[in-house]
Amino acid sequence: ASCIQHRLVVRDASSLQILQLYTCLDQIQHIEWSSDSLFILCAMYKRGVVQVWSLEQPDWHCKIDEGSAGLVASCWSPDGRHILNTTEFHLRITVWSLCTKSVSYIKYPKACQQGVAFTKDGRYMAVAERRDCKDFISIFVCSNWQLLRHFDTETQDLFGIEWAPNGCVLAAWDTCLEYKVLLYSLDGRLLSSYCAYEWPLGVKSIAWSPSSQFLAIGSFDEKVRILNHVTWKKITELDHPATITSKKTIVYKEVEKSPTVDTERLSFPPTRALASSLFSTQSKYDISQVPVSLQYIKPVADRANPKVGVGMLAFSADNCFLATKNDNIPNAVWIWDIRRLKLSVVLEQLCTIQNFQWDPCQPRLAVCTGSSRVYLWSPAGCIVVQVPGEGDFQITSLSWHSSGDSMLLLSKDHFCVCYLEREEV
Amino acid sequence: MGDWKTITVPVLSSDSRNILAYTSERQRSPTSMNSQVLRLSLPSSKNMYNFFSAFCTEDNIEQSISYIDRELTTLGFPSIYAESKGKELNLIAIINCMNELLSLQHKNLRAQEEVEMQHLKLGSDMDHLQNCYAKLKEQLELSKREIVGLQERDRQLQSKNRNLHQLLKNEKDEVQKLQNIISSRATQYNHDMKRKEREYNKLKERLHQLVMNKKDKKLAMEVLNYVGRADGKRGAWRTDKTEARNEEEMYKVLLSDYEQRQKQLLMENAELKKVLQQMKKDIISLLPPQKQKPKEKSEDGLVLSDQEEDIGELNKDNMWELSCETVREQLTNSIRKQWRMLKNHVEKLDNQVSRGHSGALNEKDVISREDHELETEKLELEIQQCKEMIKTQQQLLQQQLTCDDDTTLLLQDCYLLEERERLQEEWRLFREQKKNFEKERKSFTEAAIRLGLERKAFEEDRGAWLKHQFLSMTADCKSENVTTPSAFLRSNLTDGACLSLLGSDPDIRLLKSASRQRKLPSVFSRTVSPETCHISQYITQNSVASEKPAADKMPNLWVESDDKEETE
């Protein structure tokens, strides 16, 4: 599904054929599929209206108007039948039910990056709240929206919460002014708290491993610390230095290939294809010899939220690799082997890395840097894939299909689907 | 002194004149000898002459002689006067005195020279020493200056050091101050933040009230129709029961997670314990059972027996109590003991080796050396025995080789005869088999010929029958089935031909073709591929059921097949 202005277009994933076309009242800011893929919600924040469309019955419609309360965020509940709307100024979260047309309110939600977290199996929901200058976490049962637990956290200013994939542990971390990661069990007990250092800027990003065995914490001091789920103590620190000296890491460097043009074939006026091929630069990967020094950017000291530290963390689906990006070295993706807790590969690109995502089935990483090429890495090697087409297609983000066979590449105002062929055994 | 020298030189040059000069010199004034000497400092020969004549002139000869006599006697020389006679001169005495005086003069000159040499030497030494002294003085000055300079530097560095220490202290103090400032500012900011947050909360509350009070008339949510729940269940009322159930479910989830984790940990533990036990067994096997002192023996024995008991116990225990504290401790302790023993043993071996290298005498070494010697003796004996054996064998061989010609020939003949008889037997067998084969071949060929004849007959009959059939039917019998069975037949026959060609042995080939000619329907079933079997069945069915095959084509086919088979 994709939205253009106030229109919602639904296409088939394998053929990109348009299946449905819906028109909404206003410009759509956010669309989301329900978990059973039967409904799509379109949120228009300016109007404060959410419209829901059904795929089975195109005539069915639903409109939720928040009125003067305003709308800041909207999302589905895991059962696909409730919509959670966050009103303006985070006054409250309203839970609208599509089954019973009933409304529930959650008061005092916290205005932070990740204030609402659902467990992977969709049973429980954790909401971060703040009353009287103190942070609390409430755990709700998603089936009947009953409050299960309500407890306070020892944080200064809770920044985010995330469930472990096994649904039994909730990680909560503090604002970047203070390094504190708290781990709560499902019934609200504090299992452990972790603090690496006191004064410098703290946690920037957090990721759970898919087996819930490890919790990776990326911080502003350019290091990733990994905690284990048995003792909740740090098992290792992964550093991101600007020079790589270890002989066991492979460094792939993106190198530009000068385009080969047949001078005989040049025609005047030049055809579009020829023009695009002349101006688009091809690139390929080269293996650089260790020691390699990467491009290091010193951050501006007097700005808030500096581009320092480990900003992106992602575990692979088979729990074997961890991909990180150090914002000080914005052109490189670091891939760590979790079984050996060592750096195994570094991908050095020509431009800043915008986004990377692991394949949900295999240990394959797709990286996009804002150029018209998508980069794929797997333990077998890495390749550069050029998006064919006229003009520049600057990929700003990408998203894998849940089967791992195709990938969605998004640019500012276009998107394309990249299909990956399965190797025949 | 130099003056005397100058005087003496002209004296030495001419004797007679000198004497005169000398005497004349004496005559002048003996008391004023010095002044005269002084005056005589730069004389020429002529002057010298005059000078010398100044002392003794013709007037005062006697006075001068007596004076000279007096001087000489005072000097220890004999008098120049002759004995008892007053005024006669003893010439010999004079000459002797003169000689003595000359020799004295020589000596004095030599002494003077030496002294002057020494004087010169000393003078040069003095100069040298003065130079050295001057140089050393300069060096001393320089070094003094250097020392002063270094001292200055040292002072400067020390002062720098002090400054740096001071700076460090200052920096540390600053850092401390800044930290304090930071913490105080942090608390201040927190306080301010909290104040602002409270204000913000108040505003939010107000806003909330206003929003709620507005009471829009229009429905907040419009739905065309209600949607069923994803799991099909109906919504439930919020009651205590549901709350309790929620709690239950939550605890179930947690418990299942913990149980899973515990299982994993148990498995890990079991594996690790197995590994430890294996290690223990290996270590025990590695440790040597002998060569221990009696004390150690008993200890080891006890320990070993303990360990064996332990092993037995643990093996039993593992079945029952997997996580018993005592069992775990026992296991780890026993492994630690074993490891220590192994370490000690390895250390001992190392020591032995090192001692063996150095060659120090020790009881053990002595014993081992003796053992070595014994062993070497044994080995030598063995070697000798073996050598003797080899010699005897060689002799025997030679005897064999060089024995009488007759015996050798006989022996050879014997061997040959045996072989010959064997070969003859084999020949006989071979001939018999050959005969048998030929007989069989003959029979087969006869059978084949018979088969061929029968086949021909059968085909002729068939052809006639088919002709009859075709003629009996009307012209609408050209069905498509005609072509296909024929095609199949052709392919089948070709398949059969291929198969028969593949058969290498001519007899088998003949057999096949013979059998085929004998029974046509069954032949098809004998082919290897099941498809052809099917096809054959179809064909037979077809040929039986349809009764429409083109008679013209069929006999041709059969003829072809005949041809094919004949060409085989």
Side-chain angles (χ1 to χ4, degrees):
Chain A
S2 62
C3 64
I4 305 164
Q5 293 277 319
H6 58 275
R7 275 220 177 86
L8 175 70
V9 182
V10 181
R11 294 171 195 266
D12 179 62
S14 42
S15 61
L16 290 182
Q17 224 184 8
I18 296 181
L19 294 172
Q20 301 278 2
L21 195 63
Y22 301 104
T23 317
C24 294
L25 297 168
D26 199 3
Q27 208 179 28
I28 305 173
Q29 260 94 31
H30 176 70
I31 53 170
E32 196 175 321
W33 282 91
S34 70
S35 54
D36 50 5
S37 300
L38 290 176
F39 299 98
I40 307 175
L41 75 80
C42 308
M44 290 144 267
Y45 296 148
K46 285 185 198 157
R47 273 273 196 114
V49 169
V50 174
Q51 276 186 288
V52 188
W53 304 100
S54 155
L55 278 186
E56 286 178 319
Q57 296 174 326
D59 303 327
W60 188 90
H61 66 88
C62 167
K63 186 176 86 165
I64 300 173
D65 193 349
E66 286 288 339
S68 40
L71 192 62
V72 170
S74 177
C75 67
W76 282 102
S77 74
D79 62 359
R81 296 287 176 271
H82 295 82
I83 295 177
L84 286 91
N85 283 346
T86 314
T87 58
E88 224 167 339
F89 304 116
H90 291 270
L91 280 177
R92 59 163 196 258
I93 296 181
T94 23
V95 184
W96 300 91
S97 163
L98 289 174
C99 324
T100 61
K101 218 180 175 184
S102 65
V103 185
S104 320
Y105 294 104
I106 299 174
K107 275 181 124 183
Y108 309 113
K110 180 119 199 228
C112 57
Q113 205 184 48
Q114 262 173 265
V116 176
F118 293 99
T119 57
K120 203 168 166 190
D121 53 10
R123 274 214 196 146
Y124 301 102
M125 174 178 83
V127 181
E129 298 177 7
R130 193 171 175 95
R131 285 167 216 248
D132 297 329
C133 311
K134 268 196 121 185
D135 290 318
F136 295 90
I137 293 182
S138 303
I139 301 184
F140 292 90
V141 183
C142 288
S143 47
N144 47 18
W145 303 108
Q146 275 187 341
L147 178 66
L148 189 65
R149 283 283 186 277
H150 180 80
F151 50 90
D152 68 337
T153 65
E154 296 160 10
T155 51
Q156 290 270 352
D157 189 6
L158 186 60
F159 198 65
I161 50 176
E162 193 168 329
W163 285 101
N166 66 2
C168 295
V169 183
L170 180 68
W173 61 97
D174 212 342
T175 175
C176 55
L177 285 172
E178 185 147 338
Y179 194 124
K180 205 179 216 178
V181 177
L182 297 160
L183 292 140
Y184 292 95
S185 102
L186 181 57
D187 56 349
R189 289 173 298 130
L190 176 66
L191 292 170
S192 161
S193 100
Y194 177 71
C195 169
Y197 48 76
E198 218 185 322
W199 290 113
L201 292 179
V203 176
K204 195 160 187 189
S205 54
I206 278 197
W208 282 98
S209 79
S211 63
S212 312
Q213 275 175 314
F214 305 110
L215 176 65
I217 306 173
S219 47
F220 280 90
D221 65 345
E222 301 177 45
K223 287 195 189 161
V224 174
R225 290 173 179 82
I226 301 189
L227 310 181
N228 76 83
H229 74 310
V230 179
T231 58
W232 301 115
K233 292 237 173 4
K234 174 183 87 168
I235 48 174
T236 183
E237 244 180 46
L238 305 174
D239 198 10
H240 297 77
T243 355
I244 302 163
T245 46
S246 150
K247 298 233 168 144
K248 292 198 181 160
T249 49
I250 311 171
V251 181
Y252 291 103
K253 190 173 168 140
E254 189 194 351
V255 169
E256 271 199 14
K257 268 194 304 201
S258 51
T260 52
V261 178
D262 268 333
T263 44
E264 290 173 357
R265 290 245 202 110
L266 281 175
S267 59
F268 192 82
T271 56
R272 261 210 197 147
L274 196 62
S276 64
S277 73
L278 272 174
F279 287 114
S280 71
T281 47
Q282 298 278 316
S283 72
K284 62 181 174 89
Y285 273 114
D286 250 350
I287 296 185
S288 321
Q289 287 293 323
V290 161
V292 173
S293 70
L294 302 165
Q295 196 187 7
Y296 186 89
I297 295 179
K298 253 200 164 161
V300 185
D302 55 351
R303 284 234 189 114
N305 294 325
K307 293 220 160 180
V308 193
V310 180
M312 277 203 246
L313 285 176
F315 274 97
S316 73
D318 59 351
N319 209 15
C320 288
F321 297 102
L322 170 67
T324 63
K325 177 191 159 201
N326 184 4
D327 292 332
N328 274 80
I329 306 172
N331 292 4
V333 180
W334 307 65
I335 300 178
W336 307 82
D337 187 345
I338 291 299
R339 282 174 293 190
R340 281 178 229 136
L341 289 177
K342 274 194 187 160
L343 180 62
S344 80
V345 174
V346 175
L347 300 172
E348 196 185 342
Q349 312 293 137
L350 290 169
C351 319
T352 320
I353 301 212
Q354 303 279 343
N355 195 2
F356 57 72
Q357 208 182 37
W358 285 101
D359 183 333
C361 310
Q362 298 176 39
R364 240 190 328 201
L365 182 69
V367 182
C368 68
T369 65
S371 63
S372 60
R373 293 181 281 272
V374 72
Y375 308 91
L376 288 166
W377 175 86
S378 82
C382 56
I383 56 166
V384 179
V385 181
Q386 176 88 20
V387 172
E390 306 163 358
D392 246 348
F393 186 87
Q394 279 160 337
I395 310 175
T396 49
S397 83
L398 49 83
S399 164
W400 282 93
H401 191 267
S402 54
S403 68
D405 281 332
S406 53
M407 199 161 54
L408 193 65
L409 304 167
L410 298 160
S411 81
K412 224 164 114 181
D413 41 14
H414 291 93
F415 78 89
C416 78
V417 181
C418 166
Y419 294 98
L420 293 127
E421 272 182 7
R422 220 170 250 286
E423 207 182 274
E424 287 181 34
V425 180
Chain B
M1 281 304 194
D3 303 309
W4 281 107
K5 203 176 170 187
T6 51
I7 296 165
T8 54
V9 167
V11 169
L12 284 165
S13 57
S14 55
D15 283 337
S16 56
R17 238 199 288 160
N18 285 343
I19 291 164
L20 281 165
Y22 200 65
T23 48
S24 62
E25 186 191 298
R26 275 300 213 191
Q27 196 144 43
R28 257 227 196 132
S29 54
T31 53
S32 64
M33 202 62 85
N34 288 334
S35 57
Q36 276 180 0
V37 165
L38 283 167
R39 257 187 286 152
L40 285 168
S41 58
L42 299 159
S44 64
S45 54
K46 276 186 187 174
N47 285 340
M48 285 301 298
Y49 185 72
N50 291 334
F51 220 46
F52 284 133
S53 59
F55 172 64
C56 182
T57 54
E58 290 169 3
D59 302 328
N60 56 355
I61 289 175
E62 292 210 10
Q63 288 169 355
S64 57
I65 287 172
S66 63
Y67 174 72
I68 284 171
D69 185 47
R70 257 187 278 133
E71 290 290 318
L72 284 172
T73 45
T74 53
L75 281 174
F77 289 106
S79 141
I80 53 175
Y81 283 124
E83 293 172 13
S84 72
K85 281 182 186 177
K87 293 189 183 160
E88 277 185 22
L89 294 169
N90 192 353
L91 194 65
I92 294 167
I94 292 168
I95 290 167
N96 283 334
C97 291
M98 275 179 55
N99 195 24
E100 291 287 332
L101 283 170
L102 280 171
S103 63
L104 260 178
Q105 178 75 346
H106 283 308
K107 273 190 213 165
N108 287 333
L109 279 176
R110 255 180 270 140
Q112 200 182 16
E113 272 180 33
E114 279 178 27
V115 167
E116 276 174 4
M117 284 288 288
Q118 260 196 9
H119 181 72
L120 275 173
K121 272 189 202 166
L122 286 169
S124 65
D125 280 342
M126 271 278 284
D127 287 334
H128 177 66
L129 283 171
Q130 271 180 354
N131 286 337
C132 288
Y133 174 68
K135 276 186 208 162
L136 285 170
K137 243 189 166 177
E138 277 175 37
Q139 274 184 10
L140 186 68
E141 283 294 309
L142 271 171
S143 48
K144 272 189 188 167
R145 260 177 262 149
E146 262 181 59
I147 283 171
V148 166
L150 286 170
Q151 275 180 348
E152 263 300 313
R153 257 181 64 189
D154 184 43
R155 239 177 285 140
Q156 278 174 5
L157 285 171
Q158 276 198 355
S159 64
K160 247 197 201 176
N161 195 17
R162 253 177 276 133
N163 287 345
L164 287 172
H165 272 293
Q166 196 63 39
L167 278 172
L168 184 67
K169 254 198 215 172
N170 294 344
E171 291 296 320
K172 278 191 185 164
D173 291 335
E174 257 196 69
V175 163
Q176 196 62 42
K177 257 192 249 169
L178 283 171
Q179 276 190 346
N180 294 338
I181 288 171
I182 286 172
S183 50
S184 67
R185 280 186 96 123
T187 48
Q188 186 66 33
Y189 285 143
N190 284 341
H191 179 74
D192 280 340
M193 278 273 286
K194 283 201 182 134
R195 200 159 35 94
K196 292 223 167 95
E197 245 199 270
R198 275 187 214 118
E199 258 192 66
Y200 177 59
N201 283 340
K202 276 188 221 161
L203 279 169
K204 274 209 307 198
E205 290 285 314
R206 202 81 168 75
L207 192 63
H208 202 210
Q209 279 172 17
L210 287 169
V211 162
M212 294 305 274
N213 285 344
K214 256 212 172 169
K215 280 192 184 166
D216 298 313
K217 284 291 171 181
K218 55 183 170 180
L219 278 167
M221 179 163 160
E222 283 174 27
V223 191
L224 191 62
N225 53 355
Y226 296 117
V227 182
R229 279 172 73 97
D231 48 1
K233 287 190 204 156
R234 286 203 189 160
W237 292 105
R238 205 181 279 196
T239 55
D240 289 335
K241 263 195 201 172
T242 51
E243 279 184 25
R245 222 187 303 148
N246 286 338
E247 295 268 319
E248 240 187 75
E249 276 184 32
M250 179 190 78
Y251 284 123
K252 265 191 217 169
V253 166
L254 277 174
L255 276 173
S256 61
D257 181 58
Y258 281 130
E259 268 171 25
Q260 214 190 22
R261 241 197 269 173
Q262 204 203 12
K263 264 189 229 167
Q264 278 180 2
L265 288 169
L266 275 174
M267 265 166 47
E268 260 194 70
N269 265 352
E271 274 186 42
L272 288 169
K273 270 194 197 159
K274 266 191 231 167
V275 169
L276 279 174
Q277 283 209 357
Q278 263 191 0
M279 268 176 62
K280 213 174 84 164
K281 278 184 204 162
D282 287 337
I283 292 174
I284 290 170
S285 64
L286 278 173
L287 287 171
Q290 77 280 12
K291 271 198 178 178
Q292 301 264 337
K293 288 180 189 170
K295 269 194 198 174
E296 280 179 7
K297 250 191 195 170
S298 61
E299 274 182 18
D300 281 344
L302 277 171
V303 170
L304 277 168
S305 61
D306 276 343
Q307 285 148 11
E308 282 165 24
E309 283 173 22
D310 279 347
I311 294 165
E313 272 179 34
L314 282 167
N315 282 332
K316 283 182 222 161
D317 283 348
N318 259 338
M319 307 297 285
W320 308 106
E321 297 164 303
L322 284 170
S323 56
C324 182
E325 273 278 336
T326 48
V327 170
R328 222 187 320 140
E329 273 180 35
Q330 272 179 23
L331 180 62
T332 46
N333 285 338
S334 61
I335 283 187
R336 279 202 201 113
K337 264 191 245 165
Q338 299 290 339
W339 188 248
R340 246 181 279 143
M341 280 169 61
L342 184 70
K343 253 183 20 182
N344 290 338
H345 180 65
V346 170
E347 276 168 21
K348 270 189 228 162
L349 284 171
D350 277 339
N351 288 340
Q352 274 186 15
V353 167
S354 59
R355 265 182 271 150
H357 280 307
S358 61
L361 274 174
N362 203 3
E363 275 187 21
K364 289 183 185 175
D365 279 350
V366 170
I367 291 167
S368 61
R369 207 184 277 174
E370 282 183 13
D371 280 341
H372 275 306
E373 284 175 14
L374 282 167
E375 278 199 52
T376 47
E377 281 178 24
K378 273 190 228 166
L379 286 167
E380 277 174 24
L381 277 169
E382 274 190 52
I383 289 166
Q384 277 192 351
Q385 281 174 6
C386 291
K387 275 188 190 168
E388 282 169 26
M389 280 208 17
I390 289 165
K391 274 185 202 166
T392 49
Q393 288 206 353
Q394 269 187 342
Q395 283 174 2
L396 282 169
L397 265 172
Q398 278 183 359
Q399 276 179 11
Q400 270 199 340
L401 285 170
T402 59
C403 67
D404 297 330
D405 288 337
D406 292 334
T407 47
T408 51
L409 277 169
L410 276 170
L411 282 167
Q412 279 173 2
D413 276 341
C414 290
Y415 293 136
L416 280 170
L417 272 170
E418 276 187 46
E419 280 193 47
R420 212 181 285 166
E421 279 177 55
R422 251 186 280 135
L423 278 168
Q424 279 178 352
E425 277 187 42
E426 279 177 17
W427 267 106
R428 242 182 287 135
L429 280 166
F430 178 73
R431 267 182 234 139
E432 280 177 27
Q433 279 181 1
K434 208 172 168 185
K435 279 181 206 165
N436 292 334
F437 279 135
E438 278 181 22
K439 275 185 210 165
E440 280 181 71
R441 198 185 283 174
K442 275 184 203 162
S443 59
F444 282 140
T445 45
E446 283 171 21
I449 291 162
R450 254 185 280 131
L451 267 172
L453 289 167
E454 280 179 26
R455 199 175 179 194
K456 267 188 192 166
F458 174 76
E459 278 166 14
E460 281 172 29
D461 285 339
R462 193 174 178 187
W465 183 77
L466 286 166
K467 259 191 199 171
H468 182 71
Q469 287 285 320
F470 187 60
L471 287 166
S472 64
M473 300 292 291
T474 46
D476 64 347
C477 60
K478 277 216 176 142
S479 61
E480 289 159 11
N481 289 337
V482 176
T483 52
T484 41
S486 57
F488 283 137
L489 260 173
R490 197 180 282 139
S491 65
N492 198 14
L493 285 167
T494 49
D495 283 342
C498 290
L499 277 168
S500 51
L501 279 165
L502 281 168
S504 51
D505 200 350
D507 295 340
I508 296 169
R509 229 191 291 161
L510 281 167
L511 253 170
K512 264 201 182 167
S513 55
S515 54
R516 277 177 59 216
Q517 281 163 0
R518 217 177 270 161
K519 329 159 204 174
L520 268 167
S522 56
V523 157
F524 296 116
S525 63
R526 254 200 223 186
T527 54
V528 177
S529 58
E531 293 165 356
T532 49
C533 278
H534 285 303
I535 292 163
S536 66
Q537 284 168 13
Y538 174 76
I539 290 162
T540 48
Q541 280 174 11
N542 228 359
S543 55
V544 169
S546 63
E547 300 175 320
K548 295 169 192 177
D552 298 326
K553 288 194 183 171
M554 291 302 281
N556 290 336
L557 279 167
W558 290 124
V559 166
E560 276 174 33
S561 66
D562 269 343
D563 290 337
K564 274 189 202 148
E565 279 171 21
E566 277 169 7
T567 51
E568 283 166 25

